[in-house]
Amino acid sequence: RNYARDNFHAILYNAYSTKDSRGNLNHAYAFSSSNQHIKIPNHNDLNFTSQIALSFWVKPDQFPGYEQYVISHGSYEERYKMSITPEKKMRWTLKTSEQIIDVDDDMPLQTGVFIHYTGIYTGYSLELYRNGNLVSYKPLNGSIGTSSKSITIARKDEQETRYNFAGTI
């Protein structure tokens, strides 16, 4: 539930509750297959276009050799995504009215280890932070793209079952 606004509540699909980075039970979700994800149904209010910040803890369980989506709202084709590349690096991608830009963490992730990431678009830069430290930055401007798709966690979108994430968010 979104207690801050009592709106935009997430819907769970087969993922299971687990411990978070501090060991608190029922504070994170684990995903192990392509039929597990979380979605937040799309709404016009979620298609803001000026700035955005995403923040989460992630603990991969495996690296299957394909890109794994941690969170997506229309992916890079429409809006944004945070994903783990086949090289095991976190990638923050955003599409604006000007261009599509990726910023990558240069440090590979490890299985079984929680890492905190924050992706920010300020209106003039795309920034990626690992554990509170800036790890990648590129200039970017323009309006953030919009999407009719739901926000999805652990999958590219509701229909696409490839690119699923295996681990804990």
Side-chain angles (χ1 to χ4, degrees), residues 82 89-92 103-108 115-119 126-138:
M82 295 267 295
K89 297 178 180 182
M90 185 61 67
R91 173 170 287 164
W92 168 217
V103 290
D104 293 355
D105 186 353
D106 60 351
M107 184 177 84
I115 299 288
H116 185 263
Y117 279 100
T118 303
L126 191 65
E127 304 169 7
L128 180 62
Y129 294 81
R130 178 188 356 97
N131 294 330
N133 297 305
L134 180 66
V135 295
S136 190
Y137 159 94
K138 287 184 182 173

Short mmCIF file of all heavy atoms in Angstrom, two decimals, residues 82 89-92 103-108 115-119 126-138:
data_model
loop_
_atom_site.label_atom_id
_atom_site.label_comp_id
_atom_site.label_asym_id
_atom_site.label_seq_id
_atom_site.Cartn_x
_atom_site.Cartn_y
_atom_site.Cartn_z
N MET A 82 15.33 0.69 -14.62
CA MET A 82 16.58 0.38 -13.92
C MET A 82 16.74 -1.12 -14.11
O MET A 82 15.81 -1.89 -13.82
CB MET A 82 16.50 0.73 -12.44
CG MET A 82 16.35 2.21 -12.17
SD MET A 82 17.84 3.16 -11.89
CE MET A 82 18.51 2.54 -10.41
N LYS A 89 26.05 -5.21 -14.07
CA LYS A 89 26.13 -3.82 -13.63
C LYS A 89 24.75 -3.17 -13.68
O LYS A 89 23.95 -3.44 -14.58
CB LYS A 89 27.11 -3.05 -14.50
CG LYS A 89 28.52 -3.61 -14.38
CD LYS A 89 29.49 -2.90 -15.26
CE LYS A 89 30.88 -3.51 -15.09
NZ LYS A 89 31.88 -2.82 -15.88
N MET A 90 24.48 -2.32 -12.68
CA MET A 90 23.21 -1.60 -12.65
C MET A 90 23.22 -0.52 -13.73
O MET A 90 24.21 0.19 -13.91
CB MET A 90 22.98 -0.96 -11.27
CG MET A 90 21.63 -0.30 -11.12
SD MET A 90 20.22 -1.41 -11.31
CE MET A 90 20.40 -2.45 -9.87
N ARG A 91 22.10 -0.43 -14.45
CA ARG A 91 21.92 0.56 -15.52
C ARG A 91 20.64 1.35 -15.26
O ARG A 91 19.60 0.79 -15.02
CB ARG A 91 21.84 -0.12 -16.88
CG ARG A 91 21.50 0.84 -18.02
CD ARG A 91 21.65 0.21 -19.36
NE ARG A 91 23.08 0.09 -19.62
CZ ARG A 91 23.61 -0.69 -20.55
NH1 ARG A 91 22.83 -1.43 -21.32
NH2 ARG A 91 24.91 -0.75 -20.71
N TRP A 92 20.76 2.68 -15.33
CA TRP A 92 19.63 3.60 -15.18
C TRP A 92 19.43 4.24 -16.55
O TRP A 92 20.35 4.87 -17.08
CB TRP A 92 19.96 4.61 -14.11
CG TRP A 92 19.16 5.84 -13.85
CD1 TRP A 92 19.70 7.06 -13.49
CD2 TRP A 92 17.74 6.04 -13.84
NE1 TRP A 92 18.70 7.97 -13.26
CE2 TRP A 92 17.48 7.36 -13.48
CE3 TRP A 92 16.66 5.21 -14.13
CZ2 TRP A 92 16.19 7.89 -13.38
CZ3 TRP A 92 15.37 5.73 -14.03
CH2 TRP A 92 15.15 7.05 -13.66
N VAL A 103 23.09 5.43 -17.87
CA VAL A 103 24.25 5.57 -17.00
C VAL A 103 24.41 4.26 -16.25
O VAL A 103 23.43 3.68 -15.78
CB VAL A 103 24.15 6.78 -16.03
CG1 VAL A 103 24.26 8.09 -16.78
CG2 VAL A 103 22.87 6.75 -15.21
N ASP A 104 25.63 3.76 -16.18
CA ASP A 104 25.92 2.46 -15.58
C ASP A 104 26.85 2.60 -14.39
O ASP A 104 27.74 3.44 -14.39
CB ASP A 104 26.62 1.54 -16.59
CG ASP A 104 25.74 1.15 -17.76
OD1 ASP A 104 24.56 1.50 -17.76
OD2 ASP A 104 26.26 0.50 -18.68
N ASP A 105 26.64 1.74 -13.41
CA ASP A 105 27.59 1.60 -12.32
C ASP A 105 28.78 0.82 -12.88
O ASP A 105 28.61 -0.14 -13.61
CB ASP A 105 26.94 0.81 -11.18
CG ASP A 105 27.80 0.74 -9.93
OD1 ASP A 105 28.97 1.17 -9.96
OD2 ASP A 105 27.29 0.21 -8.92
N ASP A 106 30.00 1.23 -12.55
CA ASP A 106 31.18 0.53 -13.06
C ASP A 106 31.52 -0.71 -12.23
O ASP A 106 32.31 -1.55 -12.65
CB ASP A 106 32.39 1.46 -13.14
CG ASP A 106 32.78 2.05 -11.79
OD1 ASP A 106 32.01 1.89 -10.81
OD2 ASP A 106 33.84 2.68 -11.70
N MET A 107 30.88 -0.86 -11.06
CA MET A 107 31.17 -2.00 -10.19
C MET A 107 30.12 -3.09 -10.39
O MET A 107 28.92 -2.83 -10.24
CB MET A 107 31.16 -1.57 -8.72
CG MET A 107 31.56 -2.68 -7.77
SD MET A 107 31.64 -2.12 -6.05
CE MET A 107 29.94 -2.27 -5.58
N PRO A 108 30.53 -4.30 -10.71
CA PRO A 108 29.55 -5.39 -10.87
C PRO A 108 28.88 -5.74 -9.54
O PRO A 108 29.49 -5.67 -8.48
CB PRO A 108 30.38 -6.57 -11.36
CG PRO A 108 31.68 -6.00 -11.80
CD PRO A 108 31.88 -4.73 -11.04
N ILE A 115 22.60 -4.09 -2.20
CA ILE A 115 23.19 -2.80 -2.58
C ILE A 115 22.03 -1.81 -2.72
O ILE A 115 20.96 -2.16 -3.22
CB ILE A 115 23.94 -2.89 -3.94
CG1 ILE A 115 25.08 -3.89 -3.88
CG2 ILE A 115 24.44 -1.52 -4.39
CD1 ILE A 115 26.27 -3.43 -3.07
N HIS A 116 22.25 -0.59 -2.28
CA HIS A 116 21.23 0.46 -2.41
C HIS A 116 21.54 1.32 -3.63
O HIS A 116 22.67 1.79 -3.78
CB HIS A 116 21.19 1.34 -1.15
CG HIS A 116 20.09 2.33 -1.20
ND1 HIS A 116 20.27 3.62 -1.60
CD2 HIS A 116 18.77 2.19 -0.91
CE1 HIS A 116 19.11 4.26 -1.55
NE2 HIS A 116 18.20 3.41 -1.14
N TYR A 117 20.54 1.52 -4.46
CA TYR A 117 20.69 2.37 -5.65
C TYR A 117 19.64 3.46 -5.66
O TYR A 117 18.50 3.26 -5.23
CB TYR A 117 20.53 1.56 -6.94
CG TYR A 117 21.77 0.81 -7.31
CD1 TYR A 117 21.90 -0.54 -7.03
CD2 TYR A 117 22.83 1.45 -7.94
CE1 TYR A 117 23.05 -1.24 -7.35
CE2 TYR A 117 23.99 0.76 -8.26
CZ TYR A 117 24.09 -0.58 -7.97
OH TYR A 117 25.23 -1.26 -8.30
N THR A 118 20.05 4.61 -6.16
CA THR A 118 19.15 5.73 -6.42
C THR A 118 19.45 6.25 -7.80
O THR A 118 20.61 6.51 -8.14
CB THR A 118 19.34 6.86 -5.38
OG1 THR A 118 19.14 6.32 -4.07
CG2 THR A 118 18.37 8.00 -5.63
N GLY A 119 18.40 6.38 -8.60
CA GLY A 119 18.51 7.00 -9.92
C GLY A 119 17.75 8.30 -9.90
O GLY A 119 16.61 8.36 -9.41
N LEU A 126 21.30 13.07 -15.64
CA LEU A 126 20.88 11.74 -15.23
C LEU A 126 21.97 11.21 -14.31
O LEU A 126 23.15 11.16 -14.71
CB LEU A 126 20.70 10.83 -16.45
CG LEU A 126 20.01 9.50 -16.18
CD1 LEU A 126 18.56 9.71 -15.74
CD2 LEU A 126 20.05 8.61 -17.42
N GLU A 127 21.62 10.83 -13.09
CA GLU A 127 22.60 10.47 -12.07
C GLU A 127 22.27 9.12 -11.46
O GLU A 127 21.10 8.81 -11.23
CB GLU A 127 22.61 11.53 -10.96
CG GLU A 127 22.88 12.93 -11.48
CD GLU A 127 22.63 14.03 -10.46
OE1 GLU A 127 22.36 13.72 -9.28
OE2 GLU A 127 22.70 15.20 -10.86
N LEU A 128 23.30 8.32 -11.18
CA LEU A 128 23.14 7.02 -10.53
C LEU A 128 24.02 6.99 -9.29
O LEU A 128 25.22 7.29 -9.35
CB LEU A 128 23.54 5.88 -11.48
CG LEU A 128 23.41 4.46 -10.93
CD1 LEU A 128 21.95 4.14 -10.58
CD2 LEU A 128 23.95 3.45 -11.94
N TYR A 129 23.42 6.63 -8.15
CA TYR A 129 24.11 6.56 -6.87
C TYR A 129 24.08 5.13 -6.36
O TYR A 129 23.05 4.46 -6.44
CB TYR A 129 23.43 7.46 -5.84
CG TYR A 129 23.52 8.93 -6.17
CD1 TYR A 129 22.65 9.50 -7.08
CD2 TYR A 129 24.48 9.73 -5.56
CE1 TYR A 129 22.73 10.86 -7.39
CE2 TYR A 129 24.56 11.08 -5.85
CZ TYR A 129 23.68 11.64 -6.77
OH TYR A 129 23.77 12.97 -7.08
N ARG A 130 25.21 4.65 -5.83
CA ARG A 130 25.31 3.36 -5.17
C ARG A 130 25.67 3.61 -3.72
O ARG A 130 26.68 4.26 -3.41
CB ARG A 130 26.40 2.48 -5.81
CG ARG A 130 26.57 1.13 -5.10
CD ARG A 130 27.76 0.28 -5.57
NE ARG A 130 28.55 0.75 -6.66
CZ ARG A 130 29.72 1.42 -6.54
NH1 ARG A 130 30.20 1.74 -5.36
NH2 ARG A 130 30.38 1.78 -7.62
N ASN A 131 24.85 3.12 -2.81
CA ASN A 131 25.07 3.31 -1.37
C ASN A 131 25.34 4.77 -1.03
O ASN A 131 26.20 5.09 -0.21
CB ASN A 131 26.20 2.41 -0.87
CG ASN A 131 25.84 0.95 -0.95
OD1 ASN A 131 24.67 0.58 -0.84
ND2 ASN A 131 26.84 0.10 -1.16
N GLY A 132 24.62 5.68 -1.68
CA GLY A 132 24.72 7.11 -1.40
C GLY A 132 25.82 7.85 -2.12
O GLY A 132 25.94 9.06 -1.98
N ASN A 133 26.66 7.16 -2.89
CA ASN A 133 27.77 7.79 -3.60
C ASN A 133 27.49 7.85 -5.09
O ASN A 133 27.10 6.85 -5.70
CB ASN A 133 29.06 7.00 -3.36
CG ASN A 133 29.44 7.00 -1.90
OD1 ASN A 133 29.57 8.05 -1.28
ND2 ASN A 133 29.59 5.82 -1.34
N LEU A 134 27.73 9.00 -5.69
CA LEU A 134 27.54 9.17 -7.13
C LEU A 134 28.53 8.27 -7.87
O LEU A 134 29.73 8.30 -7.63
CB LEU A 134 27.80 10.63 -7.53
CG LEU A 134 27.65 10.96 -9.01
CD1 LEU A 134 26.20 10.78 -9.48
CD2 LEU A 134 28.12 12.39 -9.27
N VAL A 135 28.00 7.40 -8.77
CA VAL A 135 28.86 6.49 -9.52
C VAL A 135 28.82 6.76 -11.02
O VAL A 135 29.71 6.31 -11.75
CB VAL A 135 28.53 5.00 -9.25
CG1 VAL A 135 28.83 4.65 -7.81
CG2 VAL A 135 27.10 4.66 -9.62
N SER A 136 27.79 7.48 -11.48
CA SER A 136 27.72 7.77 -12.91
C SER A 136 26.80 8.97 -13.13
O SER A 136 25.82 9.15 -12.40
CB SER A 136 27.20 6.56 -13.68
OG SER A 136 27.33 6.74 -15.06
N TYR A 137 27.14 9.75 -14.16
CA TYR A 137 26.42 10.98 -14.43
C TYR A 137 26.57 11.32 -15.91
O TYR A 137 27.64 11.13 -16.49
CB TYR A 137 27.04 12.10 -13.58
CG TYR A 137 26.76 13.49 -14.08
CD1 TYR A 137 25.69 14.21 -13.60
CD2 TYR A 137 27.58 14.09 -15.04
CE1 TYR A 137 25.43 15.49 -14.06
CE2 TYR A 137 27.32 15.37 -15.51
CZ TYR A 137 26.24 16.06 -15.02
OH TYR A 137 25.98 17.32 -15.49
N LYS A 138 25.49 11.80 -16.50
CA LYS A 138 25.55 12.34 -17.86
C LYS A 138 24.59 13.51 -17.96
O LYS A 138 23.50 13.48 -17.37
CB LYS A 138 25.15 11.29 -18.91
CG LYS A 138 26.19 10.22 -19.13
CD LYS A 138 25.77 9.28 -20.24
CE LYS A 138 26.80 8.17 -20.43
NZ LYS A 138 26.35 7.16 -21.40
#
